[in-house]
Amino acid sequence: FSEDPFRVYRVARFASQLGFVVSSYALEIMQSLKEELRDLTTERVYKEFEKAMNSPNPRRFFDVLKEVDCLDVHFPEVAALDCPDKHYGTTYEHTMRLLEHGNNLKMRVALLCHDFGKPLTPKEDWPAHHNHDELGEKPVREFCECLRIPRDIAKFALTCTREHMRI
């Protein structure tokens, strides 16, 4: 691990593809590499993200990164979803459950992004998140630009974020 911190993302992706439990020893090492993850190229991170999103259990990718406190390095919008919500207790849990229903990369990215505006709503109103669809546009754009998500997928995710309350 210490030779290549990128293995943190690779382990999370393999967990999503193969369904294994990461050992506590590996989790400790992964957590210790958090700062080194910031130096990884976006292209490499996107490739692992893409493979994880196409895996049988994309949620596992995010859960492993969350468990080792590394989710916020390249996925801060996803980490921010850990806020109170009427659906399943937190927006994170709601979003992760929705990922199970996507059947391709485009749909899963849209499902992942659709509630990015919820953490931006006034905390005193939680677990209600009025206008989160409109507030979500900016973080979806930033997320897609930062990861260099293909334009057609980014456009679909943005449309779904903006319109999901009206559909």
Side-chain angles (χ1 to χ4, degrees), residues 113-126:
C113 295
H114 86 283
D115 277 344
F116 278 3
K118 284 188 174 181
L120 303 176
T121 61
K123 289 182 181 179
E124 59 271 10
D125 294 341
W126 290 358

Side-chain angles (χ1 to χ4, degrees), residues 1-46:
F1 276 98
S2 60
E3 293 174 10
D4 186 7
F6 184 69
R7 291 178 181 152
V8 170
Y9 289 123
R10 190 159 287 142
V11 167
R13 190 255 298 172
F14 281 137
S16 72
Q17 286 181 320
L18 305 174
F20 63 80
V21 175
V22 182
S23 75
S24 58
Y25 176 70
L27 292 171
E28 284 179 36
I29 294 170
M30 292 166 72
Q31 189 170 22
S32 73
L33 296 171
K34 181 175 183 172
E35 291 308 312
E36 293 181 44
L37 293 177
R38 299 183 195 287
D39 297 328
L40 298 177
T41 65
T42 302
E43 291 79 16
R44 289 182 78 193
V45 174
Y46 175 75

Side-chain angles (χ1 to χ4, degrees), residues 6 8-19 44-65 71 75 96 99-100 102-106 108-109 112 143 147:
F6 184 69
V8 170
Y9 289 123
R10 190 159 287 142
V11 167
R13 190 255 298 172
F14 281 137
S16 72
Q17 286 181 320
L18 305 174
R44 289 182 78 193
V45 174
Y46 175 75
K47 285 297 180 192
E48 289 304 304
F49 167 79
E50 179 182 43
K51 290 175 185 176
M53 292 298 273
N54 284 318
S55 76
N57 187 4
R59 174 202 183 122
R60 189 79 181 108
F61 177 76
F62 299 105
D63 285 348
V64 169
L65 294 177
L71 187 57
F75 306 99
M96 293 301 118
L99 284 181
E100 298 169 9
N103 59 13
N104 61 54
L105 178 63
K106 192 175 195 177
R108 284 182 170 171
V109 170
L112 180 69
F143 177 79
L147 279 182

